[in-house]
Amino acid sequence: MSGNEAWKAFTLPEPSPAADERFMREAMALAREAAAEGEVPVGAVVVRAGEIVGRGRNRRERDKTALAHAELEAIEDACRTLGGWRLWQCVLYVTLEPCPMCAGAAINARIPRVVYGASDPKAGSCGSLVNLFSLPYNHHPAVTSGVLGEECAALLREFFRSLRPR
Ligand SMILES: [Zn+2]
């Protein structure tokens, strides 16, 4: 079977709420690791056939770069694990709605489905400010929003509250 035929023959596993919550909890664990190091708590995992193949978390402070978002690290990790840049069999789970950079990365990586927790009214680009996945790019990931959304939002609230002087 050529690569093109393999693409056509492949179907993602049916979305399952239980699996979505399980992988969102993995992303939340990474978000907590970020918070423990003083980073805004955002975590992400890339899953292929029920298995985590990429992990990432926000590292902007440590790496001193605006590009160190959780999703980019998870996508990079998955590409390394799978030995290629096309993540067309993978689902991206992230605790916060992707920004335009990360939504763009999901499109570029050909990720067919993105699942996020909390909405982001300031930068969310999968439905909040704009929905990049509905624009006529060459690839349109499906989106599931609000998976453990309240718990993911609480992680962020707690973090910012802890920064405020008492
Ligand atoms: Zn981002």
Side-chain angles (χ1 to χ4, degrees):
M1 199 187 283
S2 79
N4 284 343
E5 283 160 359
W7 168 282
K8 281 181 218 149
F10 179 81
T11 48
L12 272 188
E14 272 299 299
S16 128
D20 283 353
E21 289 196 6
R22 180 156 61 94
F23 292 121
M24 190 59 75
R25 289 201 189 284
E26 299 279 350
M28 287 173 68
L30 289 156
R32 282 193 197 92
E33 283 179 26
E37 291 178 13
E39 304 271 2
V40 173
V42 181
V45 295
V46 173
V47 172
R48 181 180 174 276
E51 198 184 322
I52 294 176
V53 293
R55 287 182 167 82
R57 59 183 177 78
N58 175 29
R59 297 184 196 269
R60 281 180 304 185
E61 302 299 335
R62 188 200 72 175
D63 291 358
K64 299 186 173 31
T65 165
L67 305 183
H69 284 199
E71 299 96 311
L72 295 194
E73 187 179 58
I75 288 170
E76 178 114 43
D77 191 28
C79 290
R80 221 176 293 124
T81 302
L82 299 173
W85 62 270
R86 290 183 192 84
L87 303 182
W88 52 277
Q89 301 181 329
C90 297
V91 179
L92 171 65
Y93 291 87
V94 56
T95 57
L96 181 66
E97 182 179 358
C99 74
M101 174 174 74
C102 295
I107 291 170
N108 275 303
R110 308 288 189 265
I111 291 174
R113 182 169 177 248
V114 172
V115 180
Y116 70 82
S119 292
D120 182 0
K122 292 195 189 127
S125 299
C126 304
S128 286
L129 281 184
V130 71
N131 185 356
L132 289 181
F133 299 158
S134 71
L135 297 180
Y137 291 110
N138 57 344
H139 180 75
H140 305 99
V143 183
T144 304
S145 60
V147 173
L148 301 179
E150 185 41 47
E151 288 177 55
C152 291
L155 279 179
L156 289 159
R157 269 199 312 273
E158 293 297 315
F159 178 78
F160 288 113
R161 192 176 300 148
S162 75
L163 294 183
R164 251 176 261 145
R166 277 152 224 262

